[in-house]
């Protein structure tokens, strides 16, 4: 796969990711939900940290996370460039490009959203607001895709979790997260094609 094609894939993912986030941010109030099907909803949340709302505690936790993501993206970018130069498997190049695009998409939120949007808690956010909700490197990541395929109380006879409320699948995510998960999935499922043994 050529560098140009890899760039195009990254650009495509970033455009879809950012357009979907900006649309949700400017058309939904935080917590608002639209039911497409019983098992698929658009549910607007903002993620301060990593997957499932995990965050690094402390005053500088968010900044540390954002800086770490930026450093990681530079590393992934080098891996992508090196893999293309060495004509590695298309599976590997596509996977790395997807992971790079997804990581970059969430970094855009973290770096810029705090200074270009106002708060979404009680009203629709305004793009390029004169009263932004945060500061540089402290933006919140916009998530919206929610697939509650099954939700209910687990049977009482189950050890540890019996009788407790459970939702599958309860994660809320965005296009960037899908790109990262798809890239990692390609590396796992097509491992032998992504990393062929020579000789």
């Amino acid at each position: 796969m050529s560098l140009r094609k890899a760039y195009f894939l990254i650009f495509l993912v970033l455009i879809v990711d950012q357009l979907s986030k900006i649309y949700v941010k400017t058309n939904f109030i935080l917590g608002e939900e639209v039911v497409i099907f019983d098992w698929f909803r658009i549910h607007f949340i903002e993620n301060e940290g990593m997957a499932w709302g995990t965050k690094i505690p402390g005053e500088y936790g968010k900044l540390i996370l954002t800086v770490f993501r930026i450093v990681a993206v530079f590393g992934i970018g080098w891996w992508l460039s090196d893999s293309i130069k060495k004509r590695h498997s298309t599976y590997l190049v596509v996977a790395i490009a997807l992971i790079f695009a997804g990581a970059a998409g969430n970094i855009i939120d973290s770096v810029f959203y705090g200074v270009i949007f106002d708060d979404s808690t009680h009203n629709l956010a305004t793009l390029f607001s004169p009263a932004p909700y945060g500061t540089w490197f402290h933006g919140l990541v916009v998530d919206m895709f929610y697939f509650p395929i099954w939700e209910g109380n687990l049977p009482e006879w189950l050890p540890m979790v019996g009788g407790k409320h459970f939702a599958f699948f309860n994660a809320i995510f965005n296009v960037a997260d899908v790109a990262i998960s798809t890239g990692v999935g390609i590396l796992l499922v097509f491992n032998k094609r992504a990393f062929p043994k020579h000789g």
Side-chain angles (χ1 to χ4, degrees), residues 17-64:
D17 177 63
Q18 288 302 309
L19 287 178
S20 63
K21 287 172 176 174
I22 291 169
Y23 176 82
V24 167
K25 183 84 174 148
T26 57
N27 287 275
F28 287 68
I29 295 171
L30 193 66
E32 188 175 352
E33 179 178 274
V34 172
V35 177
I36 310 300
F37 302 105
D38 285 342
W39 49 269
F40 172 42
R41 304 171 190 184
I42 303 298
H43 185 100
F44 173 34
I45 66 167
E46 289 180 310
N47 185 350
E48 192 173 324
M50 299 171 280
W52 280 279
T54 306
K55 59 183 179 180
I56 300 173
E59 183 181 352
Y60 298 104
K62 175 66 178 177
L63 179 62
I64 291 167

Side-chain angles (χ1 to χ4, degrees), residues 28-178:
F28 287 68
I29 295 171
L30 193 66
E32 188 175 352
E33 179 178 274
V34 172
V35 177
I36 310 300
F37 302 105
D38 285 342
W39 49 269
F40 172 42
R41 304 171 190 184
I42 303 298
H43 185 100
F44 173 34
I45 66 167
E46 289 180 310
N47 185 350
E48 192 173 324
M50 299 171 280
W52 280 279
T54 306
K55 59 183 179 180
I56 300 173
E59 183 181 352
Y60 298 104
K62 175 66 178 177
L63 179 62
I64 291 167
L65 176 61
T66 303
V67 171
F68 171 78
R69 283 174 167 166
I70 292 169
V71 172
V73 160
F74 275 104
I76 296 166
W78 176 86
W79 186 21
L80 176 63
S81 176
D82 185 62
S83 296
I84 291 170
K85 284 177 185 175
K86 293 178 178 176
R87 299 183 179 276
H88 285 177
S89 163
T90 299
Y91 285 89
L92 178 62
V93 174
V94 168
I96 300 171
L98 287 171
I99 294 168
F100 179 92
N106 285 334
I107 285 172
I108 290 171
D109 298 30
S110 296
V111 174
F112 300 107
Y113 276 25
V115 294
I116 63 172
F117 285 110
D118 51 11
D119 187 58
S120 297
T121 307
H122 302 295
N123 44 257
L124 298 177
T126 306
L127 182 61
F128 302 118
S129 169
Y133 72 79
T135 57
W136 292 97
F137 295 92
H138 288 83
L140 302 173
V141 176
V142 174
D143 292 322
M144 76 287 291
F145 298 127
Y146 180 36
F147 290 85
I149 295 169
W150 183 85
E151 188 172 358
N153 293 325
L154 295 171
E156 294 284 351
W157 52 264
L158 283 172
M160 308 276 293
V161 295
K164 293 183 179 177
H165 187 78
F166 179 77
F168 178 85
F169 175 71
N170 70 341
I172 302 174
F173 53 94
N174 56 43
V175 173
D177 298 330
V178 173

